[in-house]
Amino acid sequence: MRLRMMLCLLVALFAIVGCQTEPPTVVYIVISPTPDTTSEPVPTTPEVSVVSETTAEPTAEADTASTELPISPSATASPTPARTERPANFPTPVNARIQVVEQLFEGGRMFWLEPTREIWVMRVTAEGGGTWSVYQDTWDEAVDPESDSALTPPEGRTQPIRGFGKVWREVPNLRDELGWAVTPEFGFISEYQYVAGGTVDANGQYTAGPGYHVVYSLYGEQFRFNEIDSTWQLGGA
């Protein structure tokens, strides 16, 4: 009886072993060597960003720009002046961009200022300076001639017209002082500055006095007009 039980146990054991068809899993552990930090790094190819350039279609505003007045270089990139402390109650400088008309003569120059409709006459009496006179523009298209047909300028010169021409012809001695115009008149936008003169007393009361104006030519030349003695100078503002 005992022998029969042992035989049955062996048969059952062999049956269990035969059912295990998959072999046991073997795990391999791989140990990597420590990186050598002293070796040179392997260069990599940098990424390159490609930006395509496109040409924008002109807008309607760009098409009309040609009809606008040119702008003096000083009016497009004006330096910020250094701040100068002024007494209390003293007028601050006036800064603006204004329309002007300019014409060069053999012995000077004329400016027409749109805000005041004044004609400023510059006579050259020294290098970079001279005298300055102001006249109101009284030319009337309905009654005044544009020019004087009896006057014939020499070759390479021209007769001033309209408001410039009226002042040039009617102010005594001005035609001899300025001579003929050497350019036509041309309009543009200029930086303008007025710096008031005067004094402030101990009580803070301001008393007006002569100041000076600054106007620029079409090519950015700076002209200072001094009220105290009716002179002008190139630069010096």
Side-chain angles (χ1 to χ4, degrees):
M1 184 68 179
R2 181 179 295 176
L3 179 59
R4 183 179 296 175
M5 292 177 61
M6 292 180 62
L7 290 174
C8 291
L9 182 61
L10 290 173
V11 171
L13 179 61
F14 284 123
I16 293 172
V17 173
C19 292
Q20 295 178 351
T21 58
E22 294 182 0
T25 302
V26 179
V27 180
Y28 294 90
I29 300 176
V30 179
I31 301 177
S32 300
T34 302
D36 183 6
T37 59
T38 62
S39 61
E40 293 292 329
V42 179
T44 57
T45 303
E47 296 182 358
V48 178
S49 299
V50 179
V51 179
S52 62
E53 296 183 356
T54 59
T55 302
E57 293 294 330
T59 62
E61 292 181 356
D63 294 335
T64 60
S66 60
T67 63
E68 297 177 355
L69 290 173
I71 299 177
S72 169
S74 64
T76 58
S78 300
T80 302
R83 180 179 176 83
T84 301
E85 295 298 331
R86 302 176 73 82
N89 300 328
F90 203 93
T92 57
V94 175
N95 295 280
R97 298 175 73 186
I98 64 173
Q99 179 182 344
V100 303
V101 177
E102 179 183 10
Q103 188 168 24
L104 276 64
F105 291 78
E106 294 172 323
R109 189 181 308 238
M110 285 191 188
F111 280 111
W112 177 83
L113 280 66
E114 190 273 338
T116 57
R117 300 190 63 82
E118 291 176 342
I119 295 174
W120 292 9
V121 176
M122 303 163 57
R123 302 169 181 83
V124 177
T125 60
E127 184 175 357
T131 60
W132 162 52
S133 301
V134 178
Y135 304 93
Q136 198 65 35
D137 181 12
T138 61
W139 185 80
D140 187 343
E141 184 177 3
V143 297
D144 293 321
E146 187 173 84
S147 62
D148 187 346
S149 58
L151 299 176
T152 302
E155 184 178 358
R157 298 293 186 263
T158 185
Q159 177 187 171
I161 61 175
R162 303 169 69 89
F164 285 172
K166 184 176 182 179
V167 170
W168 181 74
R169 292 190 303 270
E170 294 183 357
V171 174
N173 303 319
L174 184 58
R175 208 164 85 187
D176 294 332
E177 293 170 348
L178 289 183
W180 296 95
V182 297
T183 69
E185 60 182 44
F186 41 86
F188 58 96
I189 302 299
S190 170
E191 286 286 346
Y192 167 82
Q193 183 183 56
Y194 176 70
V195 180
T199 58
V200 175
D201 62 21
N203 297 321
Q205 183 67 35
Y206 167 70
T207 301
Y212 65 86
H213 307 258
V214 174
V215 177
Y216 293 83
S217 73
L218 176 63
Y219 298 104
E221 300 166 297
Q222 183 192 73
F223 294 100
R224 170 171 168 163
F225 299 86
N226 305 299
E227 292 179 331
I228 192 171
D229 55 3
S230 298
T231 62
W232 66 268
Q233 64 192 84
L234 181 63

